[in-house]
Amino acid sequence: MIAQPCVDILDRACVDECPVDCIYEGERMLYIQPDECVDCGACEPVCPVEAIYYEDDTPEAWSQYYDANVNFFAEVMPGQSEPLGSPGGAARTGVLPFDHPLVAALPPQA
Ligand code: SF4
Ligand code: SF4
């Protein structure tokens, strides 16, 4: 999952490493589609701000971001009419014009 340090960074270093293209870009943060991720771990070491964690290794401070990653796909996000689900590759969706409410509510990140 991807946590708060990614917000407003959006450098996409992780996207280039993902063999299954399951890292999707919202307006302010990227999100990993949990059903498409194969847990290869290739994305984690390239993140310049240590925003990526395996679920079991997530620091307590970022625990809400597991649900944010899951629900970004499983629930209807603001302004949308249906859940994003499992699109089968971020190249198909491009940059998505919304974020999970947890991310959307944050002030600009330095
Ligand atoms: S761990 Fe998941 S999100 Fe990260 S590169 Fe591998 S498949 Fe992609
Ligand atoms: S590498 Fe890290 S900061 Fe960059 S887009 Fe991916 S999760 Fe966000």
Side-chain angles (χ1 to χ4, degrees):
M1 45 80 70
I2 294 178
Q4 185 171 323
C6 176
V7 176
D8 297 334
I9 300 288
L10 303 171
D11 73 311
R12 298 173 54 86
C14 54
V15 173
D16 293 339
E17 299 299 322
C18 182
V20 294
D21 195 27
C22 70
I23 307 177
Y24 293 77
E25 185 170 355
E27 282 192 316
R28 298 184 60 195
M29 193 182 91
L30 281 82
Y31 303 82
I32 294 175
Q33 212 296 353
D35 297 327
E36 296 177 359
C37 174
V38 296
D39 288 340
C40 72
C43 55
E44 186 271 336
V46 302
C47 179
V49 292
E50 298 184 20
I52 304 175
Y53 297 93
Y54 283 109
E55 177 186 355
D56 292 344
D57 297 336
T58 306
E60 182 62 30
W62 310 134
S63 59
Q64 287 180 295
Y65 282 82
Y66 175 73
D67 286 342
N69 280 247
V70 171
N71 292 334
F72 183 75
F73 301 95
E75 296 184 349
V76 179
M77 289 293 105
Q80 304 302 299
S81 58
E82 58 187 24
L84 189 55
S86 180
R92 295 182 182 176
T93 64
V95 179
L96 297 157
F98 53 89
D99 277 295
H100 186 277
L102 179 70
V103 173
L106 291 170
Q109 304 294 292

XYZ file of all heavy atoms in Angstrom:
850
model
N 0.839 -1.179 0.000
C 0.000 0.000 0.000
C 0.882 1.239 0.000
O 2.054 1.194 0.326
C -0.969 -0.008 1.194
C -0.359 -0.398 2.533
S 0.541 0.892 3.396
C -0.770 1.996 3.889
N 0.273 2.347 -0.404
C 0.982 3.625 -0.464
C 0.393 4.538 0.601
O -0.823 4.612 0.758
C 0.881 4.234 -1.871
C 1.628 3.342 -2.872
C 1.444 5.652 -1.893
C 1.572 3.795 -4.311
N 1.265 5.229 1.318
C 0.846 6.034 2.457
C 1.089 7.530 2.218
O 1.556 7.952 1.156
C 1.569 5.564 3.720
N 0.792 8.293 3.227
C 0.751 9.755 3.126
C 2.004 10.417 2.555
O 1.895 11.456 1.904
C 0.424 10.361 4.497
C 0.232 11.872 4.463
C -0.291 12.414 5.773
O -1.111 11.779 6.426
N 0.188 13.570 6.167
N 3.224 9.890 2.789
C 4.392 10.595 2.242
C 4.345 10.795 0.726
O 5.049 11.669 0.200
C 5.560 9.689 2.653
C 5.089 9.032 3.899
C 3.616 8.792 3.679
N 3.545 10.001 0.014
C 3.429 10.162 -1.448
C 2.613 11.383 -1.834
O 2.778 11.909 -2.939
C 2.796 8.912 -2.062
S 2.481 9.017 -3.845
N 1.757 11.853 -0.934
C 0.804 12.910 -1.304
C 1.550 14.150 -1.815
O 2.471 14.651 -1.173
C -0.082 13.280 -0.097
C -1.018 14.444 -0.453
C -0.901 12.071 0.341
N 1.153 14.603 -2.974
C 1.689 15.787 -3.658
C 3.123 15.603 -4.158
O 3.740 16.567 -4.626
C 1.589 17.044 -2.777
C 0.136 17.409 -2.466
O -0.739 17.063 -3.259
O -0.097 18.055 -1.422
N 3.668 14.371 -4.075
C 4.988 14.094 -4.650
C 4.813 13.650 -6.103
O 5.327 14.286 -7.026
C 5.737 13.003 -3.856
C 5.944 13.431 -2.402
C 7.072 12.693 -4.537
C 6.964 14.520 -2.187
N 4.091 12.550 -6.283
C 3.688 12.114 -7.625
C 4.849 11.974 -8.615
O 4.712 12.299 -9.791
C 2.652 13.088 -8.213
C 1.368 13.320 -7.396
C 0.558 14.446 -7.996
C 0.550 12.048 -7.305
N 5.989 11.492 -8.167
C 7.127 11.370 -9.101
C 7.055 10.092 -9.954
O 7.803 9.950 -10.914
C 8.450 11.413 -8.338
C 8.696 10.131 -7.569
O 7.768 9.696 -6.851
O 9.781 9.556 -7.696
N 6.179 9.166 -9.570
C 5.904 7.963 -10.374
C 7.096 7.008 -10.500
O 7.101 6.149 -11.384
C 5.415 8.348 -11.773
C 4.121 9.137 -11.761
C 3.751 9.649 -13.154
N 3.701 8.593 -14.132
C 2.650 7.840 -14.378
N 1.545 8.055 -13.707
N 2.683 6.889 -15.282
N 8.084 7.109 -9.649
C 9.220 6.179 -9.710
C 8.741 4.744 -9.533
O 9.249 3.818 -10.178
C 10.248 6.532 -8.639
N 7.754 4.532 -8.684
C 7.236 3.190 -8.434
C 6.539 2.611 -9.667
O 6.625 1.413 -9.935
C 6.260 3.219 -7.253
S 4.929 4.434 -7.431
N 5.853 3.454 -10.394
C 5.087 3.008 -11.570
C 6.013 2.332 -12.579
O 5.670 1.308 -13.171
C 4.348 4.197 -12.210
C 3.685 3.790 -13.531
C 3.313 4.769 -11.253
N 7.183 2.900 -12.757
C 8.127 2.354 -13.743
C 8.620 0.966 -13.368
O 9.089 0.212 -14.225
C 9.328 3.296 -13.883
C 8.937 4.619 -14.515
O 7.899 4.669 -15.189
O 9.681 5.602 -14.324
N 8.561 0.606 -12.076
C 9.070 -0.686 -11.610
C 8.017 -1.789 -11.595
O 8.360 -2.970 -11.521
C 9.635 -0.541 -10.188
C 10.785 0.435 -10.071
C 11.978 0.011 -10.923
O 12.255 -1.199 -10.995
O 12.612 0.897 -11.531
N 6.756 -1.429 -11.637
C 5.692 -2.417 -11.411
C 5.479 -3.299 -12.643
O 5.121 -2.801 -13.712
C 4.397 -1.711 -11.038
S 3.075 -2.891 -10.684
N 5.644 -4.620 -12.494
C 5.527 -5.513 -13.643
C 4.089 -5.747 -14.097
O 3.867 -6.277 -15.189
C 6.154 -6.826 -13.140
C 5.897 -6.810 -11.670
C 6.019 -5.355 -11.268
N 3.126 -5.383 -13.269
C 1.727 -5.635 -13.630
C 0.914 -4.339 -13.745
O -0.310 -4.385 -13.890
C 1.053 -6.608 -12.630
C 1.692 -7.989 -12.723
C 1.124 -6.086 -11.211
N 1.586 -3.194 -13.676
C 0.931 -1.898 -13.901
C -0.292 -1.696 -13.002
O -1.355 -1.280 -13.458
C 0.529 -1.782 -15.390
C 0.182 -0.343 -15.786
O 0.703 0.597 -15.147
O -0.612 -0.168 -16.730
N -0.089 -2.007 -11.712
C -1.230 -1.929 -10.787
C -1.152 -0.729 -9.841
O -1.861 -0.688 -8.837
C -1.350 -3.216 -9.975
S -0.044 -3.438 -8.760
N -0.299 0.256 -10.166
C -0.197 1.455 -9.333
C -0.883 2.600 -10.079
O -0.415 3.045 -11.131
C 1.267 1.802 -9.013
C 1.991 0.573 -8.420
C 1.330 2.976 -8.052
C 3.474 0.795 -8.136
N -1.999 3.047 -9.523
C -2.877 4.003 -10.193
C -2.687 5.395 -9.612
O -2.530 5.562 -8.411
C -4.335 3.556 -10.036
C -4.631 2.277 -10.786
C -4.227 1.040 -10.286
C -5.291 2.307 -12.006
C -4.480 -0.134 -10.983
C -5.564 1.140 -12.704
C -5.151 -0.075 -12.192
O -5.398 -1.230 -12.887
N -2.768 6.387 -10.488
C -2.524 7.763 -10.064
C -3.830 8.519 -9.878
O -4.636 8.641 -10.812
C -1.641 8.483 -11.099
C -1.246 9.882 -10.660
C -0.181 10.514 -11.554
O 0.313 9.821 -12.464
O 0.147 11.696 -11.335
N -4.039 9.037 -8.662
C -5.147 9.947 -8.405
C -4.641 11.378 -8.553
O -3.547 11.628 -9.059
N -5.449 12.329 -8.105
C -5.044 13.729 -8.261
C -3.829 14.077 -7.404
O -2.985 14.850 -7.809
C -6.209 14.658 -7.898
C -7.250 14.782 -8.987
C -8.220 15.917 -8.723
O -8.687 16.063 -7.570
O -8.511 16.658 -9.685
N -3.750 13.475 -6.188
C -2.695 13.896 -5.250
C -1.839 12.756 -4.731
O -0.857 12.991 -4.026
C -3.326 14.636 -4.063
C -4.046 15.911 -4.460
C -4.564 16.646 -3.241
N -3.476 17.010 -2.335
C -3.662 17.405 -1.070
N -4.876 17.477 -0.578
N -2.634 17.719 -0.303
N -2.227 11.488 -5.016
C -1.464 10.360 -4.502
C -1.634 9.185 -5.446
O -2.590 9.152 -6.228
C -1.961 9.982 -3.089
C -1.035 9.027 -2.338
S -1.654 8.553 -0.690
C -2.579 7.067 -1.119
N -0.710 8.242 -5.370
C -0.867 7.007 -6.120
C -1.398 5.915 -5.193
O -1.180 5.967 -3.977
C 0.462 6.599 -6.764
C 0.748 7.395 -8.051
C 1.353 8.754 -7.741
C 1.615 6.633 -9.014
N -2.066 4.940 -5.773
C -2.742 3.887 -5.015
C -2.446 2.541 -5.657
O -2.484 2.414 -6.892
C -4.264 4.096 -5.039
C -4.720 5.432 -4.525
C -4.692 6.561 -5.343
C -5.205 5.578 -3.225
C -5.127 7.801 -4.883
C -5.637 6.812 -2.753
C -5.593 7.920 -3.591
O -6.023 9.143 -3.128
N -2.200 1.524 -4.825
C -1.958 0.172 -5.341
C -3.263 -0.620 -5.323
O -3.932 -0.711 -4.288
C -0.884 -0.543 -4.510
C 0.470 0.166 -4.692
C -0.773 -2.017 -4.921
C 1.586 -0.374 -3.820
N -3.617 -1.193 -6.479
C -4.818 -2.037 -6.575
C -4.465 -3.383 -5.928
O -3.664 -4.143 -6.478
C -5.198 -2.206 -8.054
C -6.681 -2.338 -8.334
C -7.329 -3.588 -7.720
O -6.688 -4.467 -7.176
N -8.636 -3.645 -7.821
N -5.037 -3.705 -4.765
C -4.573 -4.884 -4.014
C -4.837 -6.214 -4.699
O -4.099 -7.170 -4.470
C -5.335 -4.771 -2.688
C -6.530 -3.938 -2.995
C -6.105 -2.981 -4.068
N -5.871 -6.293 -5.523
C -6.170 -7.552 -6.209
C -5.265 -7.774 -7.412
O -5.085 -8.910 -7.862
C -7.631 -7.581 -6.671
C -8.598 -7.522 -5.496
O -8.256 -8.066 -4.428
O -9.680 -6.936 -5.663
N -4.698 -6.703 -7.950
C -3.824 -6.822 -9.119
C -2.347 -6.945 -8.709
O -1.533 -7.499 -9.444
C -4.005 -5.605 -10.037
C -5.415 -5.513 -10.618
C -5.632 -4.266 -11.479
O -4.695 -3.455 -11.624
O -6.757 -4.111 -11.983
N -2.005 -6.427 -7.524
C -0.619 -6.475 -7.036
C -0.198 -7.923 -6.780
O -0.946 -8.703 -6.184
C -0.516 -5.666 -5.745
S 1.077 -5.763 -4.923
N 1.006 -8.276 -7.242
C 1.513 -9.636 -7.045
C 2.561 -9.701 -5.921
O 3.283 -10.685 -5.794
C 2.091 -10.204 -8.361
C 0.987 -10.332 -9.407
C 3.235 -9.342 -8.897
N 2.646 -8.621 -5.120
C 3.529 -8.590 -3.949
C 4.986 -8.860 -4.305
O 5.709 -9.506 -3.528
C 3.068 -9.598 -2.887
C 1.781 -9.155 -2.194
O 1.464 -7.964 -2.237
O 1.111 -10.024 -1.592
N 5.429 -8.367 -5.451
C 6.818 -8.622 -5.849
C 7.806 -7.753 -5.078
O 8.980 -8.085 -4.982
C 6.983 -8.406 -7.350
S 6.911 -6.668 -7.855
N 7.346 -6.616 -4.566
C 8.207 -5.740 -3.788
C 9.095 -4.811 -4.594
O 9.867 -4.044 -4.013
N 8.991 -4.819 -5.902
C 9.893 -4.012 -6.734
C 9.694 -2.515 -6.548
O 10.619 -1.727 -6.738
C 9.700 -4.390 -8.200
N 8.496 -2.116 -6.189
C 8.213 -0.682 -6.069
C 8.779 -0.072 -4.788
O 9.151 1.110 -4.770
C 6.709 -0.443 -6.109
S 5.779 -1.396 -4.879
N 8.829 -0.849 -3.730
C 9.141 -0.292 -2.406
C 10.507 0.406 -2.323
O 10.593 1.539 -1.835
C 8.996 -1.405 -1.351
C 9.155 -0.938 0.075
C 10.604 -0.986 0.539
O 11.380 -1.784 -0.043
O 10.948 -0.226 1.457
N 11.593 -0.203 -2.804
C 12.902 0.440 -2.608
C 13.135 1.677 -3.461
O 14.052 2.449 -3.158
C 13.900 -0.671 -2.970
C 13.143 -1.636 -3.798
C 11.720 -1.549 -3.368
N 12.365 1.898 -4.496
C 12.616 3.058 -5.364
C 11.875 4.309 -4.906
O 12.137 5.399 -5.421
C 12.261 2.772 -6.839
C 13.056 1.572 -7.354
C 10.774 2.546 -7.043
N 10.998 4.170 -3.954
C 10.238 5.343 -3.508
C 11.145 6.289 -2.727
O 11.716 5.902 -1.702
C 9.055 4.917 -2.641
S 8.106 6.335 -2.041
N 11.280 7.533 -3.164
C 12.218 8.459 -2.518
C 11.773 8.934 -1.139
O 12.572 9.498 -0.396
C 12.292 9.633 -3.501
C 10.981 9.614 -4.203
C 10.606 8.158 -4.322
N 10.502 8.701 -0.798
C 10.000 9.186 0.487
C 9.481 8.049 1.384
O 8.797 8.306 2.375
C 8.883 10.243 0.271
C 9.466 11.511 -0.341
C 7.750 9.704 -0.601
N 9.832 6.784 1.042
C 9.422 5.626 1.838
C 7.922 5.618 2.113
O 7.482 5.485 3.251
C 10.219 5.558 3.143
C 11.713 5.388 2.899
C 12.521 5.214 4.183
O 11.938 4.857 5.220
O 13.741 5.432 4.125
N 7.156 5.752 1.048
C 5.694 5.782 1.168
C 5.060 4.420 0.963
O 3.866 4.268 1.210
C 5.114 6.765 0.155
N 5.841 3.411 0.519
C 5.259 2.128 0.138
C 5.582 1.057 1.183
O 6.748 0.915 1.590
C 5.791 1.686 -1.241
C 5.516 2.769 -2.287
C 5.140 0.363 -1.665
C 6.105 2.481 -3.660
N 4.555 0.304 1.600
C 4.731 -0.724 2.631
C 3.914 -1.960 2.298
O 2.839 -1.869 1.707
C 4.234 -0.197 3.995
C 5.008 0.994 4.494
C 4.573 2.279 4.226
C 6.188 0.831 5.219
C 5.295 3.389 4.669
C 6.914 1.923 5.668
C 6.458 3.201 5.382
O 7.172 4.283 5.813
N 4.425 -3.115 2.712
C 3.576 -4.291 2.795
C 2.565 -4.036 3.910
O 2.881 -3.372 4.906
C 4.400 -5.543 3.136
C 5.181 -6.092 1.975
C 6.565 -5.984 1.939
C 4.538 -6.728 0.919
C 7.298 -6.490 0.864
C 5.261 -7.234 -0.156
C 6.628 -7.115 -0.178
O 7.341 -7.607 -1.233
N 1.375 -4.584 3.753
C 0.312 -4.347 4.731
C 0.785 -4.578 6.164
O 0.554 -3.756 7.050
C -0.875 -5.267 4.421
C -2.010 -5.152 5.430
C -3.100 -6.175 5.177
O -3.016 -6.896 4.164
O -4.032 -6.241 5.995
N 1.490 -5.690 6.401
C 1.885 -6.036 7.770
C 2.997 -5.147 8.314
O 3.258 -5.155 9.522
C 2.339 -7.503 7.831
C 1.184 -8.462 7.608
O 0.021 -8.028 7.707
O 1.449 -9.638 7.325
N 3.686 -4.400 7.447
C 4.797 -3.559 7.886
C 4.417 -2.084 7.997
O 5.276 -1.238 8.253
C 5.965 -3.674 6.886
C 6.513 -5.088 6.820
O 6.348 -5.830 7.797
O 7.094 -5.444 5.778
N 3.161 -1.783 7.800
C 2.739 -0.381 7.770
C 2.912 0.268 9.140
O 2.409 -0.255 10.144
C 1.253 -0.292 7.361
O 1.076 -0.981 6.134
C 0.845 1.167 7.201
N 3.616 1.391 9.223
C 3.731 2.099 10.503
C 2.350 2.505 11.021
O 1.451 2.820 10.232
C 4.557 3.339 10.143
C 5.288 2.973 8.896
C 4.364 2.048 8.150
N 2.208 2.500 12.330
C 0.913 2.830 12.935
C 0.387 4.175 12.440
O -0.817 4.350 12.208
C 1.057 2.851 14.464
C -0.226 3.132 15.213
C -1.302 2.066 14.988
O -0.930 0.898 14.760
O -2.497 2.419 15.034
N 1.284 5.110 12.238
C 0.866 6.452 11.817
C 0.141 6.445 10.474
O -0.648 7.335 10.187
C 2.078 7.371 11.739
N 0.437 5.424 9.654
C -0.160 5.382 8.311
C -1.204 4.275 8.179
O -1.586 3.915 7.073
C 0.918 5.152 7.240
C 2.113 6.021 7.286
C 3.413 5.617 7.181
C 2.168 7.455 7.407
N 4.256 6.701 7.251
C 3.520 7.834 7.392
C 1.194 8.444 7.549
C 3.935 9.156 7.504
C 1.603 9.759 7.674
C 2.941 10.105 7.642
N -1.674 3.737 9.286
C -2.548 2.571 9.218
C -3.832 2.835 8.431
O -4.367 1.927 7.787
C -2.897 2.076 10.627
O -3.549 3.097 11.355
N -4.318 4.048 8.448
C -5.546 4.359 7.706
C -5.343 4.265 6.195
O -6.316 4.153 5.443
C -6.026 5.771 8.032
C -6.629 5.952 9.412
C -7.058 7.400 9.597
O -6.233 8.298 9.618
N -8.355 7.624 9.714
N -4.093 4.300 5.770
C -3.833 4.301 4.329
C -4.026 2.929 3.693
O -4.170 2.830 2.482
C -2.450 4.890 4.030
C -2.517 6.397 4.112
C -2.443 7.038 5.338
C -2.717 7.164 2.983
C -2.564 8.416 5.442
C -2.844 8.534 3.066
C -2.759 9.154 4.302
O -2.899 10.519 4.390
N -4.014 1.883 4.509
C -4.357 0.578 3.932
C -5.795 0.610 3.421
O -6.071 0.262 2.267
C -4.175 -0.551 4.957
C -4.656 -1.869 4.391
C -3.921 -2.526 3.416
C -5.870 -2.420 4.803
C -4.380 -3.713 2.853
C -6.333 -3.601 4.246
C -5.581 -4.244 3.280
O -6.045 -5.400 2.719
N -6.709 1.076 4.249
C -8.107 1.181 3.824
C -8.258 2.157 2.663
O -9.080 1.948 1.769
C -8.986 1.634 4.998
C -9.204 0.527 6.007
O -8.989 -0.647 5.660
O -9.586 0.844 7.151
N -7.461 3.229 2.688
C -7.559 4.200 1.596
C -7.184 3.559 0.267
O -7.835 3.789 -0.754
C -6.663 5.405 1.883
N -6.136 2.724 0.260
C -5.743 2.043 -0.978
C -6.826 1.058 -1.417
O -7.215 1.023 -2.584
C -4.413 1.311 -0.810
C -3.201 2.217 -0.921
O -2.410 2.121 -1.852
N -3.035 3.135 0.024
N -7.343 0.271 -0.481
C -8.367 -0.716 -0.822
C -9.642 -0.027 -1.310
O -10.203 -0.364 -2.358
C -8.676 -1.618 0.389
C -9.896 -2.491 0.121
C -7.464 -2.479 0.721
N -10.088 0.972 -0.560
C -11.383 1.579 -0.856
C -11.334 2.539 -2.040
O -12.380 2.849 -2.619
C -11.922 2.281 0.388
C -12.291 1.280 1.471
O -12.609 0.135 1.168
N -12.230 1.699 2.725
N -10.148 2.992 -2.401
C -10.029 3.800 -3.616
C -10.591 3.028 -4.810
O -11.136 3.616 -5.744
C -8.557 4.148 -3.857
C -8.306 5.037 -5.045
C -8.590 6.395 -5.000
C -7.767 4.511 -6.219
C -8.345 7.220 -6.095
C -7.513 5.332 -7.314
C -7.803 6.684 -7.255
N -10.461 1.704 -4.758
C -10.943 0.850 -5.849
C -12.300 0.203 -5.531
O -13.101 -0.030 -6.431
C -9.916 -0.257 -6.136
C -8.571 0.299 -6.518
C -7.576 0.477 -5.567
C -8.307 0.674 -7.828
C -6.345 1.012 -5.915
C -7.083 1.214 -8.179
C -6.095 1.380 -7.223
N -12.542 -0.090 -4.259
C -13.721 -0.887 -3.891
C -14.971 -0.052 -3.674
O -16.086 -0.577 -3.773
C -13.425 -1.695 -2.632
N -14.802 1.233 -3.358
C -15.957 2.072 -3.059
C -16.134 3.138 -4.144
O -15.218 3.405 -4.924
C -15.776 2.739 -1.688
C -15.735 1.722 -0.538
C -15.651 2.391 0.825
O -15.417 3.624 0.887
O -15.817 1.657 1.821
N -17.315 3.737 -4.153
C -17.580 4.834 -5.083
C -16.906 6.096 -4.536
O -17.246 6.566 -3.452
C -19.096 5.064 -5.250
C -19.349 6.227 -6.211
C -19.771 3.793 -5.748
N -15.945 6.608 -5.262
C -15.218 7.792 -4.823
C -15.992 9.068 -5.204
O -16.850 9.041 -6.096
C -13.827 7.809 -5.458
C -12.874 6.747 -4.905
S -12.397 7.021 -3.162
C -13.374 5.754 -2.342
N -15.697 10.163 -4.523
C -16.441 11.412 -4.775
C -16.443 11.790 -6.258
O -15.414 11.763 -6.926
C -15.653 12.442 -3.949
C -15.030 11.640 -2.844
C -14.696 10.317 -3.464
N -17.636 12.107 -6.749
C -17.774 12.524 -8.136
C -17.895 11.382 -9.127
O -18.063 11.617 -10.322
N -17.824 10.126 -8.622
C -17.910 8.962 -9.508
C -19.272 8.274 -9.337
O -19.923 8.423 -8.307
C -16.777 7.975 -9.200
C -15.386 8.592 -9.285
C -15.110 9.195 -10.659
O -15.128 8.482 -11.650
N -14.872 10.505 -10.711
N -19.675 7.497 -10.317
C -20.968 6.824 -10.251
C -20.842 5.346 -9.902
O -21.826 4.682 -9.575
C -21.707 6.966 -11.583
O -20.925 6.437 -12.630
N -19.624 4.813 -9.973
C -19.417 3.399 -9.649
C -17.985 3.208 -9.177
O -17.107 4.045 -9.454
C -19.705 2.510 -10.855
C -18.859 2.850 -12.073
C -19.281 2.051 -13.315
O -20.438 1.605 -13.379
O -18.434 1.895 -14.201
N -17.727 2.102 -8.472
C -16.349 1.857 -8.013
C -15.413 1.626 -9.197
O -15.828 1.127 -10.245
C -16.479 0.577 -7.176
C -17.925 0.443 -6.859
C -18.662 1.070 -8.001
N -14.165 1.971 -8.992
C -13.164 1.760 -10.034
C -12.916 0.271 -10.251
O -12.671 -0.175 -11.380
C -11.864 2.465 -9.607
C -10.729 2.587 -10.602
C -11.205 3.270 -11.885
C -9.580 3.375 -9.962
N -12.958 -0.510 -9.177
C -12.791 -1.959 -9.294
C -11.376 -2.343 -9.677
O -10.404 -1.824 -9.140
N -11.280 -3.268 -10.615
C -9.986 -3.769 -11.073
C -9.859 -3.478 -12.570
O -10.237 -4.300 -13.412
C -9.897 -5.280 -10.816
O -8.656 -5.786 -11.255
N -9.312 -2.302 -12.915
C -9.281 -1.887 -14.324
C -8.346 -2.711 -15.199
O -8.437 -2.654 -16.419
C -8.815 -0.426 -14.267
C -9.068 0.012 -12.867
C -8.867 -1.225 -12.030
N -7.388 -3.439 -14.578
C -6.502 -4.275 -15.384
C -5.300 -3.551 -15.946
O -4.709 -4.006 -16.931
N -4.920 -2.448 -15.312
C -3.715 -1.741 -15.746
C -3.906 -0.239 -15.692
O -4.889 0.289 -16.216
N -2.947 0.447 -15.051
C -3.066 1.895 -14.894
C -2.909 2.646 -16.208
O -3.384 3.774 -16.333
C -2.026 2.384 -13.880
N -2.270 2.025 -17.174
C -2.130 2.689 -18.470
C -3.494 2.903 -19.123
O -3.671 3.810 -19.930
C -1.233 1.868 -19.389
N -4.459 2.065 -18.752
C -5.799 2.195 -19.331
C -6.564 3.370 -18.749
O -7.439 3.931 -19.395
C -6.608 0.920 -19.085
C -6.065 -0.302 -19.782
C -6.958 -1.503 -19.524
N -6.436 -2.706 -20.151
C -6.963 -3.908 -20.025
N -8.046 -4.067 -19.272
N -6.429 -4.945 -20.625
N -6.285 3.708 -17.505
C -7.082 4.753 -16.845
C -6.422 6.117 -16.928
O -7.107 7.131 -16.886
C -7.305 4.419 -15.355
O -6.052 4.405 -14.687
C -7.982 3.061 -15.204
N -5.089 6.159 -17.018
C -4.405 7.436 -16.944
C -4.570 8.052 -15.565
O -4.898 7.353 -14.597
N -4.355 9.353 -15.450
C -4.516 10.031 -14.167
C -6.008 10.139 -13.868
O -6.781 10.605 -14.708
C -3.874 11.429 -14.191
C -4.089 12.129 -12.846
C -2.393 11.329 -14.507
N -6.375 9.693 -12.675
C -7.781 9.700 -12.283
C -8.105 11.027 -11.580
O -7.318 11.490 -10.749
C -8.058 8.508 -11.370
C -7.838 7.162 -12.089
C -7.551 6.051 -11.098
C -9.058 6.831 -12.951
N -9.261 11.618 -11.896
C -9.554 12.971 -11.409
C -10.171 12.997 -10.019
O -11.099 13.767 -9.749
C -10.538 13.484 -12.467
C -11.291 12.258 -12.871
C -10.282 11.124 -12.833
N -9.691 12.160 -9.116
C -10.227 12.124 -7.756
C -9.208 11.454 -6.841
O -8.213 10.884 -7.306
C -11.566 11.378 -7.702
C -11.537 10.006 -8.307
C -11.213 8.890 -7.546
C -11.832 9.813 -9.660
C -11.187 7.615 -8.099
C -11.819 8.548 -10.226
C -11.489 7.452 -9.450
N -9.471 11.560 -5.541
C -8.654 10.889 -4.524
C -9.579 10.271 -3.488
O -10.767 10.621 -3.403
C -7.715 11.889 -3.831
C -6.445 12.125 -4.626
O -5.667 11.169 -4.772
O -6.251 13.251 -5.113
N -9.027 9.382 -2.668
C -9.766 8.923 -1.499
C -9.989 10.146 -0.595
O -9.105 11.005 -0.491
C -8.962 7.845 -0.763
C -9.723 7.235 0.366
N -9.783 7.815 1.620
C -10.479 6.121 0.438
C -10.532 7.069 2.400
N -10.971 6.028 1.712
N -11.149 10.231 0.080
C -11.430 11.393 0.936
C -10.350 11.668 1.982
O -10.096 12.835 2.323
C -12.763 11.020 1.603
C -13.432 10.134 0.601
C -12.319 9.339 -0.033
N -9.684 10.632 2.494
C -8.600 10.832 3.465
C -7.490 11.685 2.859
O -6.913 12.556 3.531
C -8.047 9.462 3.882
C -6.891 9.431 4.877
C -7.366 9.853 6.261
C -6.267 8.033 4.945
N -7.196 11.450 1.604
C -6.136 12.188 0.906
C -6.642 13.561 0.464
O -5.957 14.576 0.629
C -5.641 11.377 -0.305
C -4.669 12.184 -1.152
C -5.008 10.072 0.169
N -7.862 13.591 -0.062
C -8.409 14.851 -0.572
C -8.506 15.911 0.522
O -8.409 17.114 0.243
C -9.778 14.598 -1.195
N -8.692 15.480 1.777
C -8.879 16.424 2.873
C -7.575 16.986 3.427
O -7.589 17.929 4.228
C -9.649 15.746 4.005
N -6.439 16.447 2.998
C -5.161 16.909 3.547
C -4.810 18.301 3.021
O -5.077 18.614 1.860
C -4.047 15.945 3.152
C -4.075 14.551 3.781
C -3.037 13.657 3.095
C -3.793 14.627 5.275
N -4.164 19.122 3.838
C -3.626 20.384 3.317
C -2.462 20.085 2.378
O -1.936 18.959 2.387
C -3.147 21.108 4.593
C -2.877 20.010 5.567
C -3.873 18.926 5.252
N -2.052 21.026 1.559
C -0.909 20.783 0.669
C 0.301 20.279 1.462
O 0.598 20.806 2.540
C -0.650 22.153 0.049
C -1.970 22.843 0.124
C -2.610 22.360 1.389
N 0.955 19.240 0.942
C 2.101 18.641 1.632
C 3.404 19.271 1.115
O 3.555 19.496 -0.076
C 2.132 17.130 1.381
C 0.847 16.417 1.787
C 0.600 16.438 3.284
O 1.320 15.827 4.050
N -0.431 17.164 3.720
N 4.299 19.553 2.026
C 5.560 20.189 1.647
C 6.390 19.210 0.816
O 6.335 18.014 1.020
C 6.337 20.584 2.900
S 4.633 -5.013 -5.067
Fe 2.722 -4.820 -6.221
S 2.566 -2.626 -6.677
Fe 4.701 -3.024 -6.104
S 5.769 -3.402 -8.047
Fe 5.128 -5.406 -7.243
S 3.135 -5.795 -8.191
Fe 3.547 -3.609 -8.438
S 7.673 6.330 -5.763
Fe 6.740 6.878 -3.775
S 6.409 9.116 -3.850
Fe 6.812 8.405 -5.944
S 4.765 8.107 -6.795
Fe 5.440 6.113 -5.987
S 4.670 6.033 -3.865
Fe 4.532 8.165 -4.556
